[in-house]
Amino acid sequence: MSAELMIGTDLAADMVAKAAERARVLQEQYGVQPCLATVLVGDDPASATYVRMKQNRSKKAGIASLSVVLPAETTTAELVAEITKLSDDPAVHGILLQHPVPPQIDERAAFEAIDPAKDVDGVTMRSFAAMAFGDPGFRSATPGGIMRLLAAYDVPLEGAHAVVIGRSPILGKPAGMLLLASNATVTYAHSRTRDLPELVRTADVVIAAVGKANFVRGDWLKPGAVVVDAGYNEGNVGDVHFAEASEVARLITPVPGGVGPMTIALLLEQTVDAAETAVHSLTTLA
Ligand SMILES: Nc1nc(=O)c2c([nH]1)NC[C@@H]1CN(c3ccc(C(=O)N[C@@H](CCC(=O)O)C(=O)O)cc3)C=[N+]21
């Protein structure tokens, strides 16, 4: 093992502590408790576990959670109606629709029912555009968490070649946009990419977001590369073959303890951002 670990746990704890302090101030000065609504469709046990983790960590930070659980047979119209209710509820500051949803549901339509002011998970087209333009706004939780981790470890991005493996709408694609906004030279790789190992060997920064356990091998990496493993496969296994990669990389995220806690920390931070904005827009109006 020669690589240094990019540990998310401590940084995330720091971010959550700061969010908790801001939540306390909102409560004390305005009597408002930030509230994150989570929406889970169906009974996938892994998804239920992630949602529970988000709720538990919210609670520790003084953020209320409102849990909506819908049956697996829910239609797009029913889900959109539920999310619209949350969008219209002034007590709710942030909304998270857990991905994936069952196949009969149009996930994009459901995401777009989230009020952009409450899109603390950064999944709407409005938030995507802000990331693509490098404008302020909510970041998709995992990509935003990755950027904070890279910044904390002083990873140089300007002019660096970043290869993002995966192009999903709330992970790979926005991650590439944020890297581009930081002046990296970004290549998106995906299931149709030819000669993937060779391409990855040209990367200074690798973002693995494919959802295949131990997919990225040590001999795919340029010595000294920075490796971010955004995979969350069964049994807490990442997308990167950690034992091999950590012999070649300069910096690497562990799984668990890397990107995962940063994702949740950013979600909570952005929930408090949303609550502050809501409170301040009310006090300005008054
Ligand atoms: N709309 C939406 N937004 C998401 O952000 C989202 C989603 N859907 N669907 C599922 C994935 C998965 N995800 C994780 C978050 C934290 C950990 C995490 O903290 N994992 C711990 C280990 C898990 C444990 O301690 O049990 C770690 O890496 O240290 C993992 C996975 C967010 N996701």
Side-chain angles (χ1 to χ4, degrees), residues 210-265:
V210 262
K212 289 185 188 165
N214 297 319
F215 181 69
V216 176
R217 309 301 300 237
D219 64 0
W220 294 20
L221 299 171
K222 169 154 84 178
V226 174
V227 178
V228 175
D229 191 345
Y232 54 96
N233 308 293
E234 222 180 289
N236 266 336
V237 179
D239 287 349
V240 176
H241 193 299
F242 182 84
E244 289 179 7
S246 56
E247 294 297 327
V248 188
R250 175 173 77 84
L251 281 167
I252 187 168
T253 58
V255 177
V259 172
M262 294 298 292
T263 298
I264 298 182

Side-chain angles (χ1 to χ4, degrees), residues 50 53-54 57 96-100 111 121 123 141-142 170 232 236 255-258 260-261 263-264:
Y50 291 132
M53 264 168 50
K54 289 165 186 174
R57 234 154 288 173
L96 172 122
L97 169 61
Q98 185 71 6
H99 163 89
F111 281 154
D121 193 36
V123 299
T142 301
I170 63 172
Y232 54 96
N236 266 336
V255 177
T263 298
I264 298 182

Side-chain angles (χ1 to χ4, degrees), residues 142-220:
T142 301
I146 289 171
M147 296 306 287
R148 297 283 279 271
L149 197 53
L150 292 173
Y153 283 85
D154 293 318
V155 173
L157 294 175
E158 175 134 350
H161 185 204
V163 172
V164 181
I165 315 175
R167 53 172 163 175
S168 71
I170 63 172
L171 216 185
K173 205 166 276 173
M177 288 296 143
L178 291 174
L179 290 161
L180 181 63
S182 291
N183 297 317
T185 301
V186 178
T187 303
Y188 284 101
H190 47 78
S191 50
R192 320 273 170 92
T193 298
R194 289 192 205 115
D195 306 323
L196 181 60
E198 247 166 83
L199 174 68
V200 174
R201 271 191 287 269
T202 67
D204 304 303
V205 178
V206 179
I207 312 287
V210 262
K212 289 185 188 165
N214 297 319
F215 181 69
V216 176
R217 309 301 300 237
D219 64 0
W220 294 20

